Amino acid sequence: MLAAGLALLLAAGLGTGPGRAAPRGVLREELLLRPLPVGDVAAVFQFRTRWDADLQQGAVSHYRLFPKALGQLVAAHGVRELHLALTQGFWSTQSWGQPPLGAPTGAELWVWFQDTVPDVDKAWKELSNILSGIFCASLNFIDSTNTVTPTASFKPLGVANGEPDPCMEVVCTENLTPWKKLLPCGSKAGLAVLLKAERLFHSSYHSQAVHIRPICRDASCLAVSWELRQTLTVVFDSFTSGQGKKDWSLFKMFSRTLTDACPLASESKVYVDISPKNKEKELLEVTPTPTSVHEAIVQGDKTTYAVYDLLSPVLFNTSRSLNVQLKWKRPEDSSELSTPILHAQRYVSGYGLQTGEIITLIYNTHPYRAFPVILLETVPWYLRLYVHTLTIITKGKENKPSYIHYQPAQDRKRPHLLEMLIQLPANSATKITIQFERALLKWTEYTPDPNHGFYVSSSVLSALVPSVIAMKDVDVEESPLFMSLLPSSDGSSYFLRLYTETLLVNLPTPDFSMPYNVICLTCTVVAVCYGSFYNLLTRTFHVEEPNRGGLAKQLANIIRRLRGVPPI
């Protein structure tokens, strides 16, 4: 009777109300290993938590898999969709191919709020401050000077109602520990045991992200569930790691191996890209033998994956740990990736510290198909753009954008915002140039190292890229996680968002050593003058009687007289 009463008490305490069942949560985790040219390897972690609950009603009182800090944040501030990315390094599209999940260098935050939020600016400020505390980042420095509201570049990735209200900013910060604490198993079990900070940050590229969005609970979409997707992308370089070889393993990359799956996960898998490179002249071998092989069309290319299911009982029969090894059949032969259909470059030209020019090159390498692309430019207010100098040249001819939106900057209040819809012809390179003038800042507005320069955030390219291979509609819930965040709208194209390089621009900088020299000289003069004047005012003078001297003086005068020297 005591045990039954205790069980009923626990069941009543875990419920969310009379006659209401606790929200159901599902956790899926996966690791994607993707070999890159010149011996690099990209490791993509994804942890997806689906929660069948209505956070907007504020009736949730029990959190099991979904982090309580993020759940309360969504409910209290009317968040409809949230995307946060912290990135160190730059993803080289031409060398590594299309990124699994694109992110700019630094930090990116874009949010949609519910229509019921009365003051979006106030909610945005409070939200950024709370996220700054959760992730131990510098997101609290977000203000109107580094925030923009795009009109076409960013659209909701989940179920949305009404018009979007996105905001985006770029700073530089990252922190891994708070991100791992949001996982249901933390870093104690499952794929998260590989997340060792010493190895992750000793890499060429590191990007961690948090995506929160509402999704349909079933095909009829009569109910909405909440999805939390935590992603981590790392690129390991064979030269920086000291290996100098193209052969890799989990232990070489992370200094750890996999022993079991997260007990709370309903799916835990490791995918290894074993697709043939360079027209099947070089193939990848993986050991141990995978539990299955999966074929899919990802970003327009046919890809083959070796799958290791951590929940399969036969995986750990022969060994207590899983150490996936990647070996090439033809070692030390470079395998070049095919040129991406869409890639871009961005740089600053000009000389002097008064005027300059921002140049963006966008390439469409598809042999016969043209497609439009949306370009988003965010330029700080201290770079004063000359919009009348905007030129778009494709194959030697002017390319007029079909849509353009420009919001001029206000000094010390908001940045420039430029959005354009540009048609990219097949097998072409489009050059976009715009001139700017550097502003002179106040001496208090310079960074601690002003001679290093000022960073300008990345440009954002959004496009539906045509696929070379026809794609089939797949079930989002059954497909791998790296295919379900940005599913293709049809079988002929897929959505792609790219980020260009960040720019480093020098501004007119005064000689900050001159105030230091003036201060030192002024302090020296004041100290000498004041010290001398104070000494004269406080010194006491006494009249001293002349001393005729004693025996020593008389002997000295006798000696001086013998030498012919006047006496003392």
Side-chain angles (χ1 to χ4, degrees):
M1 293 296 294
L2 181 60
L6 181 60
L8 292 175
L9 181 62
L10 290 176
L14 293 178
T16 58
R20 183 184 303 169
R24 186 175 63 90
V26 179
L27 172 64
R28 295 174 59 187
E29 60 177 8
E30 75 175 22
L31 168 61
L32 171 62
L33 298 178
R34 176 181 170 186
L36 302 175
V38 202
D40 299 344
V41 172
V44 182
F45 294 84
Q46 293 202 59
F47 304 88
R48 177 180 181 263
T49 303
R50 174 177 172 175
W51 197 26
D52 298 338
D54 191 358
L55 288 175
Q56 300 298 339
Q57 300 297 330
V60 178
S61 59
H62 174 64
Y63 292 83
R64 181 172 175 265
L65 299 179
F66 203 92
K68 186 176 182 180
L70 297 181
Q72 293 180 344
L73 178 68
V74 171
H77 293 82
V79 175
R80 183 179 6 174
E81 192 168 324
L82 183 146
H83 303 271
L84 172 64
L86 305 174
T87 306
Q88 178 183 0
F90 174 71
W91 182 277
S92 180
T93 306
Q94 289 183 274
S95 302
W96 297 340
Q98 304 291 1
L101 294 172
T105 303
E108 182 189 50
L109 174 63
W110 43 295
V111 182
W112 278 262
F113 294 95
Q114 296 288 342
D115 298 333
T116 57
V117 176
D119 190 352
V120 174
D121 294 335
K122 181 181 178 181
W124 169 256
K125 184 176 181 180
E126 293 178 354
L127 179 67
S128 59
N129 290 332
I130 295 176
L131 291 175
S132 177
I134 293 177
F135 294 98
C136 297
S138 301
L139 301 176
N140 57 316
F141 287 98
I142 296 177
D143 53 17
S144 60
T145 60
N146 51 20
T147 303
V148 297
T149 305
T151 58
S153 299
F154 288 82
K155 296 297 181 182
L157 300 180
V159 181
N161 297 319
E163 294 295 329
D165 190 5
C167 297
M168 181 181 63
E169 73 86 33
V170 176
V171 293
C172 294
T173 183
E174 62 279 334
N175 200 320
L176 181 65
T177 302
W179 184 87
K180 293 192 297 184
K181 290 182 179 180
L182 298 176
L183 298 174
C185 292
S187 57
K188 306 298 182 182
L191 299 177
V193 299
L194 301 177
L195 303 180
K196 188 177 180 181
E198 293 82 358
R199 302 294 299 174
L200 295 180
F201 286 97
H202 188 68
S203 58
S204 302
Y205 178 83
H206 173 272
S207 178
Q208 60 189 53
V210 173
H211 305 276
I212 302 177
R213 62 174 181 173
I215 59 175
C216 293
R217 190 172 301 180
D218 49 21
S220 60
C221 203
L222 298 178
V224 176
S225 300
W226 284 90
E227 179 192 68
L228 168 63
R229 190 185 296 256
Q230 296 179 243
T231 63
L232 175 64
T233 304
V234 185
V235 176
F236 293 97
D237 188 357
S238 60
F239 298 101
T240 58
S241 61
Q243 297 185 24
K245 298 181 180 180
K246 297 181 65 175
D247 297 340
W248 289 86
S249 67
L250 289 181
F251 186 78
K252 289 182 179 180
M253 288 186 289
F254 304 101
S255 299
R256 295 177 181 177
T257 58
L258 295 174
T259 56
D260 56 357
C262 175
L264 300 176
S266 60
E267 181 179 314
S268 181
K269 295 181 178 180
V270 177
Y271 293 85
V272 182
D273 187 355
I274 57 175
S275 304
K277 305 292 190 302
N278 198 9
K279 297 181 180 181
E280 300 185 2
K281 290 183 180 180
E282 189 173 13
L283 297 177
L284 183 71
E285 291 184 347
V286 293
T287 53
T289 304
T291 56
S292 62
V293 177
H294 177 77
E295 291 186 356
I297 298 177
V298 181
Q299 295 180 341
D301 294 331
K302 187 176 181 180
T303 311
T304 304
Y305 297 99
V307 184
Y308 296 89
D309 190 357
L310 300 185
L311 298 180
S312 177
V314 299
L315 186 62
F316 297 102
N317 284 344
T318 58
S319 176
R320 294 184 178 180
S321 63
L322 175 63
N323 183 26
V324 180
Q325 298 181 5
L326 296 80
K327 296 183 179 180
W328 294 93
K329 288 185 177 180
R330 297 182 60 186
E332 308 303 331
D333 289 344
S334 61
S335 59
E336 298 293 337
L337 282 178
S338 58
T339 304
I341 295 180
L342 176 64
H343 61 277
Q345 295 178 349
R346 187 167 176 245
Y347 58 92
V348 176
S349 65
Y351 58 91
L353 294 178
Q354 182 179 2
T355 60
E357 193 175 40
I358 298 178
I359 301 177
T360 305
L361 299 176
I362 306 177
Y363 299 91
N364 175 17
T365 61
H366 200 283
Y368 55 88
R369 290 193 60 178
F371 58 89
V373 62
I374 298 179
L375 174 64
L376 171 65
E377 290 275 2
T378 305
V379 183
W381 63 267
Y382 45 78
L383 298 182
R384 295 167 179 168
L385 297 181
Y386 294 148
V387 185
H388 69 279
T389 64
L390 176 64
T391 58
I392 304 175
I393 304 297
T394 304
K395 294 183 177 180
K397 298 180 180 179
E398 183 181 0
N399 187 351
K400 293 184 179 180
S402 56
Y403 169 80
I404 185 170
H405 170 71
Y406 175 68
Q407 184 182 44
Q410 293 182 1
D411 288 354
R412 299 172 180 86
K413 289 185 178 181
R414 70 183 184 191
H416 299 272
L417 173 61
L418 178 62
E419 286 184 286
M420 296 180 293
L421 180 61
I422 306 172
Q423 187 74 17
L424 302 180
N427 196 16
S428 64
T430 302
K431 182 178 181 180
I432 305 171
T433 61
I434 186 170
Q435 297 179 6
F436 65 89
E437 180 183 7
R438 296 172 172 88
L440 185 62
L441 303 180
K442 299 178 181 178
W443 72 275
T444 56
E445 295 174 343
Y446 286 92
T447 58
D449 188 9
N451 294 309
H452 176 72
F454 291 76
Y455 286 99
V456 179
S457 59
S458 306
S459 298
V460 185
L461 300 175
S462 304
L464 284 176
V465 181
S467 176
V468 179
I469 303 175
M471 296 180 293
K472 299 180 181 179
D473 294 335
V474 295
D475 188 1
V476 176
E477 294 298 327
E478 298 298 331
S479 63
L481 295 181
F482 55 85
M483 298 174 55
S484 58
L485 182 60
L486 297 173
S488 59
S489 57
D490 53 18
S492 61
S493 61
Y494 58 93
F495 179 78
L496 181 64
R497 179 176 289 129
L498 291 180
Y499 297 87
T500 62
E501 302 90 341
T502 56
L503 301 180
L504 186 62
V505 181
N506 291 325
L507 295 182
T509 304
D511 185 6
F512 286 101
S513 63
M514 181 58 70
Y516 175 76
N517 296 335
V518 172
I519 291 173
C520 293
L521 179 60
T522 304
C523 292
T524 303
V525 173
V526 170
V528 172
C529 296
Y530 176 77
S532 301
F533 185 69
Y534 182 79
N535 189 20
L536 292 175
L537 292 178
T538 57
R539 178 183 297 179
T540 303
F541 296 92
H542 298 280
V543 178
E544 186 175 344
E545 296 291 337
N547 189 3
R548 295 181 179 180
L551 180 62
K553 185 177 181 180
Q554 294 177 3
L555 293 175
N557 287 333
I558 294 173
I559 296 174
R560 294 172 67 87
R561 193 178 296 115
L562 293 175
R563 297 178 56 188
V565 180
I568 299 175

